[in-house]
Amino acid sequence: MNNTESSGRLTSGHVISEDPTGKIIALSLLLAFLWGGNSPSIKIGLEDLPPMALAFVRFCIGLVIVGGWSLYCRIPLSLKRGEFSRLLLLTIIFISQIITLNTGTLYTSASRSTIFINVYPFFTAIFAHLWIPNERLSINKTFGIVVAFSGVFITVAPDLGSGETSVIGDIIVLVSGCFLGLRVVVTKLLVQSIHPYRLLVWYLVLSLPCFALLCILFERGETFQISFAGGTALLYQGGIIAGFCFLAWTSILERYSASKCVVFFFATPLSGVLFSYLFLGDVLTVNLLIGATLVAGGIFLVNMRR
């Protein structure tokens, strides 16, 4: 089976991948900056709630915003024939990505989590090469992957022989980055035939029972509370990230090239390290700064035009 045939099974049609306009560039940069605050806000939220409970509350807030905006825009939310199985696939990827992100962030620092989750553009480039026509890997993209992963290695190298639990967290967040890259590509394929808002509403609806069940099964003995800082972090994760950012980014993917838009997310690891320094007091070590810079540079090379 060739790439076009495999992508056609998901989209049932042609994949639109236009070059981003000036407004889309500006919006993508804003989203990249805001997404940098996600890992720090998760780290703050985990002080009040365990990982699965945090995810459940966060996406309840996100669903209210996404669902409310969809109704305001009068978008039909009822599923059409053949959509459920594709949305279920995306939901499984989404749940896996959030579980690994929240769990990994629990065991590492917010700044390190920000760096490792933002290797996802490289996984996006690889999956897009396999499944999206005209978004193939080039020499520049391959070199960028090498540069970025060297940044990841430099970041984690000081702790590799120390046995610190942060390395476990780093690896789990890195796996989350792989799931996120896959999620971006599958979303790009699905929004060709499913309205972005309906897609968001349904994979949030389908994921919430899973997060609730996991919380009941594995987090019964944990502490549950909501402090001012934790509540603010939850509103940021649910309202800004799962609400505004999810809506805007999914709408962008409907029309514009995934690999060309992802380039602007080079700002995310840098803004994430900055947020972690300002709100959590994470130390800006030389290794951390070099690693963040190489990751950002690698993202740029992966998506650089000829």
Side-chain angles (χ1 to χ4, degrees):
M1 181 184 294
N2 59 35
N3 294 334
T4 303
E5 289 174 345
S6 63
S7 64
R9 287 192 173 187
L10 287 174
T11 65
S12 301
H14 177 67
V15 180
I16 302 173
S17 293
E18 298 181 5
D19 289 342
T21 63
K23 291 182 179 180
I24 296 301
I25 290 173
L27 178 58
S28 297
L29 285 172
L30 174 62
L31 296 178
F33 179 80
L34 292 174
W35 240 302
N38 194 41
S39 289
S41 66
I42 289 174
K43 192 69 176 178
I44 294 172
L46 287 170
E47 296 179 2
D48 287 355
L49 298 172
M52 296 305 101
L54 183 70
F56 178 78
V57 177
R58 170 191 177 184
F59 294 117
C60 281
I61 298 172
L63 179 60
V64 170
I65 293 175
V66 171
W69 182 252
S70 301
L71 293 174
Y72 175 79
C73 296
R74 299 182 179 178
I75 303 300
L77 298 180
S78 57
L79 290 177
K80 299 179 180 179
R81 180 177 298 179
E83 289 184 347
F84 180 78
S85 59
R86 289 178 286 167
L87 288 170
L88 184 61
L89 170 63
L90 180 61
T91 302
I92 292 171
I93 297 171
F94 173 69
I95 291 171
S96 301
Q97 187 252 313
I98 297 301
I99 289 175
T100 48
L101 175 59
N102 283 16
T103 304
T105 303
L106 181 65
Y107 293 109
T108 190
S109 67
S111 54
R112 293 171 72 89
S113 174
T114 300
I115 291 175
F116 282 96
I117 188 62
N118 282 289
V119 301
Y120 82 88
F122 314 120
F123 293 112
T124 299
I126 293 171
F127 293 129
H129 172 82
L130 296 173
W131 295 327
I132 301 179
N134 302 320
E135 295 202 22
R136 303 291 182 249
L137 280 171
S138 63
I139 293 176
N140 283 341
K141 288 183 178 182
T142 304
F143 180 64
I145 291 174
V146 174
V147 170
F149 275 102
S150 68
V152 172
F153 179 79
I154 287 174
T155 302
V156 73
D159 295 330
L160 287 178
S162 63
E164 294 183 9
T165 55
S166 65
V167 177
I168 297 175
D170 294 339
I171 294 172
I172 295 174
V173 176
L174 185 61
V175 172
S176 181
C178 179
F179 280 123
L180 181 52
L182 178 61
R183 188 179 119 204
V184 169
V185 173
V186 173
T187 299
K188 170 67 181 177
L189 295 172
L190 292 185
V191 292
Q192 305 304 306
S193 58
I194 303 175
H195 193 281
Y197 297 173
R198 185 162 73 250
L199 179 144
L200 276 173
V201 166
W202 275 100
Y203 82 64
L204 287 175
V205 167
L206 292 172
S207 67
L208 285 175
C210 296
F211 291 127
L213 179 61
L214 289 170
C215 177
I216 293 172
L217 291 176
F218 299 107
E219 297 176 344
R220 287 186 177 182
E222 301 290 337
T223 301
F224 294 80
Q225 62 181 16
I226 298 293
S227 63
F228 177 77
T232 303
L234 265 174
L235 289 175
Y236 186 89
Q237 295 170 57
I240 302 299
I241 304 299
F244 171 70
C245 289
F246 275 25
L247 283 169
W249 180 233
T250 307
S251 298
I252 288 173
L253 288 175
E254 179 184 19
R255 181 172 177 180
Y256 299 98
S257 167
S259 62
K260 290 180 180 178
C261 287
V262 162
V263 65
F264 307 113
F265 285 77
F266 74 88
T268 300
L270 301 182
S271 66
V273 170
L274 178 61
F275 279 129
S276 300
Y277 170 72
L278 292 176
F279 295 106
L280 294 173
D282 283 6
V283 179
L284 296 178
T285 64
V286 174
N287 286 77
L288 195 61
L289 293 174
I290 293 175
T293 302
L294 287 174
V295 169
I299 293 174
F300 176 78
L301 288 171
V302 164
N303 296 279
M304 185 173 65
R305 300 179 188 180
R306 290 183 178 275

